[in-house]
Amino acid sequence: MKINKKMAAGLTVLALICFLAAAGTAVSGYSFDSQRIEDQNMAPRIPVLEELGIFDGTETLPGGEKRNLYTENGKEDRYYWFGSDVLGRDIFTRTWTGARISLAIAVLAVAIDGAAGTLYGMASGYFGGRTDFIMQRITEILSGIPNLVTATVLILILRPGFLAIALAISITGWINVSRVARAKVLELKEKEFVIAARTQGAGHLWIIFREIFPNMAGQIFATGILAVPEAIFTESFLAFIGLGIPAPGASLGTMINDGFLAFTTHPYMLAPPVAVLCALMLGFYLIAEGLRENAGIPGGEKKRRDNG
């Protein structure tokens, strides 16, 4: 598969974020849940850059006064690259821990969406008739229910947690995938290679999974990639309203919620998780758009020879 500029840019962004999410928590010297009350609300301080007069731990207060808690408290040997929060926890470590958790939740939710939606849509499109009519009416009813309402109710029932949030996000997210799968099956099931397989006595499962599915997998994959940023945003919103990963765990949503509460006095607490969230969503959107522009994806068909 050809990798165009958009895909390359998206893959680069995601590779960098995944690397930092995996290794970033080990290089700061702090754990994501360790609290040092004496180090609370300390502004970002980064070695080398502080020599240039930036990120040197100096913070401008709302009244315009500048202060540096590192020098005031005699902690010149401490470095918090993204600063510390109201409980003295390292924001750098928590941000990359949160990115890892948010990404894992989103990928799990989209995997569930992709599997359920693909199977549902393929069955609906392949068998057609009354089966298709009934299955499509079900999706219309479910699609009329707002996703956030459904997710919120499910989390309240199951209690916030990793698996509960992933299931809540995927509860209606599969509908879009099912529509894409159904449309492709309706297009492909009358193709010559499918008719040839049916003529040779192939069963329904063989035709669906060996003849039709390989020719639509590219478009399903692109649809799934495009759904990941939406899932990340949904997880962040749920965490923002208090239905995210329970403390002391962290996700990008919980980080944004914590930073929002202190934004007027310590804006640096909000900037890192917001920036990582935007970068994640941008990376996935670029990859999805690159897949759509790829010459082999729009048609979704794989050139193949009829058997016999």
Side-chain angles (χ1 to χ4, degrees), residues 143-158:
S143 63
I145 305 174
N147 292 350
L148 289 176
V149 173
T150 307
T152 301
V153 172
L154 184 60
I155 290 179
L156 290 174
I157 294 174
L158 299 177

Side-chain angles (χ1 to χ4, degrees), residues 71-92:
T71 57
E72 290 181 13
N73 299 332
K75 299 182 182 296
E76 287 83 358
D77 60 332
R78 299 284 176 88
Y79 286 94
Y80 290 102
W81 296 349
F82 287 174
S84 63
D85 63 13
V86 294
L87 296 177
R89 297 173 298 191
D90 180 47
I91 296 177
F92 180 87

Side-chain angles (χ1 to χ4, degrees), residues 155-171:
I155 290 179
L156 290 174
I157 294 174
L158 299 177
R159 295 171 49 185
F162 183 93
L163 185 58
I165 296 173
L167 290 175
I169 295 173
S170 63
I171 194 68

Side-chain angles (χ1 to χ4, degrees), residues 32-306:
F32 74 94
D33 59 349
S34 59
Q35 302 180 17
R36 295 178 176 83
I37 301 301
E38 68 276 9
D39 289 354
Q40 63 182 351
N41 302 331
M42 301 188 79
R45 185 183 180 207
I46 303 177
V48 180
L49 293 182
E50 65 177 340
E51 304 297 333
L52 303 176
I54 56 176
F55 296 110
D56 59 355
T58 301
E59 180 181 11
T60 302
L61 301 180
E65 177 188 356
K66 294 183 179 295
R67 67 181 305 184
N68 189 315
L69 292 179
Y70 295 90
T71 57
E72 290 181 13
N73 299 332
K75 299 182 182 296
E76 287 83 358
D77 60 332
R78 299 284 176 88
Y79 286 94
Y80 290 102
W81 296 349
F82 287 174
S84 63
D85 63 13
V86 294
L87 296 177
R89 297 173 298 191
D90 180 47
I91 296 177
F92 180 87
T93 304
R94 288 181 62 79
T95 296
W96 297 118
T97 300
R100 185 168 64 229
I101 293 176
S102 293
L103 189 57
I105 290 175
V107 170
L108 176 59
V110 170
I112 297 173
D113 286 348
T118 300
L119 292 175
Y120 191 95
M122 290 176 67
S124 178
Y126 181 80
F127 293 105
R130 180 173 296 180
T131 300
D132 182 47
F133 178 82
I134 295 174
M135 295 179 75
Q136 290 310 300
R137 299 298 78 76
I138 293 174
T139 59
E140 289 176 3
I141 293 172
L142 292 177
S143 63
I145 305 174
N147 292 350
L148 289 176
V149 173
T150 307
T152 301
V153 172
L154 184 60
I155 290 179
L156 290 174
I157 294 174
L158 299 177
R159 295 171 49 185
F162 183 93
L163 185 58
I165 296 173
L167 290 175
I169 295 173
S170 63
I171 194 68
T172 56
W174 58 270
I175 294 176
N176 185 48
V177 179
S178 73
R179 288 172 174 165
V180 174
R182 175 179 177 270
K184 292 304 298 180
V185 170
L186 290 174
E187 175 188 342
L188 294 171
K189 72 177 185 179
E190 301 302 330
K191 295 293 184 180
E192 291 80 2
F193 61 86
V194 175
I195 296 175
R198 190 181 294 119
T199 302
Q200 293 175 3
H204 295 315
L205 291 179
W206 177 277
I207 294 174
I208 290 174
F209 292 106
R210 296 298 297 272
E211 301 293 336
I212 295 178
F213 179 74
N215 290 283
M216 57 185 284
Q219 190 161 350
I220 294 296
F221 180 72
T223 303
I225 289 293
L226 196 59
V228 174
E230 182 180 350
I232 293 174
F233 177 81
T234 302
E235 183 279 326
S236 299
F237 177 80
L238 292 172
F240 185 75
I241 63 176
L243 297 176
I245 298 294
S251 71
L252 292 178
T254 57
M255 292 284 298
I256 291 173
N257 185 32
D258 293 342
F260 178 77
L261 297 175
F263 176 72
T264 56
T265 54
H266 307 290
Y268 62 84
M269 295 185 186
L270 181 61
V274 168
V276 173
L277 176 63
C278 293
L280 270 175
M281 297 180 71
L282 176 63
F284 279 108
Y285 274 124
L286 287 173
I287 292 175
E289 287 301 313
L291 284 172
R292 285 181 170 181
E293 292 180 3
N294 193 306
I297 297 301
E301 290 189 30
K302 191 173 69 174
K303 293 182 179 179
R304 47 191 302 154
R305 298 177 179 176
D306 294 345

